[in-house]
Amino acid sequence: MSERVPVLRIGDILLVSIQVDLEDQTVLNLQEDLAAQIVARSARGVVIDITAVEIVDSFVGRMLATIASISRLLDAETVVVGMRPAVAITLVELGLSLGGVRTALDLEKGLALLRRSAGGTDPR
């Protein structure tokens, strides 16, 4: 049985903190859960925190891009935060550009990016 990744809500932003190794079915479940939560909660933004993720394969990389595309179609912007240097290097070596996925170094910067995109002010 695959694990489910919790989807938390902060105002109109959904926060996904991935704390487990990402198996293919876990990522597929996350895609479905996130799409349902965006609609149910009228979310405008999604932050996916991958700080704890040490390994990303090509499937997971493509699914992050797919999740961002689905979110965009549902009128929510996605920011991936906390990417480790080794993960970024692996994604580039795999030829995955994660087109359409915005990134930020940490959660604070990711939330600020979403606020600016929504026309709000960055409280820094």
Side-chain angles (χ1 to χ4, degrees), residues 57-113:
D57 61 16
S58 61
F59 177 76
V60 173
R62 283 193 309 274
M63 290 309 295
L64 288 173
T66 300
I67 287 171
S69 295
I70 292 169
S71 299
R72 202 170 25 256
L73 287 173
L74 296 173
D75 198 24
E77 185 175 351
T78 301
V79 178
V80 174
V81 303
M83 187 178 300
R84 293 174 181 229
V87 170
I89 291 168
T90 300
L91 290 173
V92 170
E93 288 176 349
L94 291 171
L96 297 172
S97 64
L98 299 185
V101 178
R102 300 180 78 177
T103 59
L105 289 179
D106 57 36
L107 178 59
E108 183 179 356
K109 291 179 181 176
L111 291 171
L113 184 64

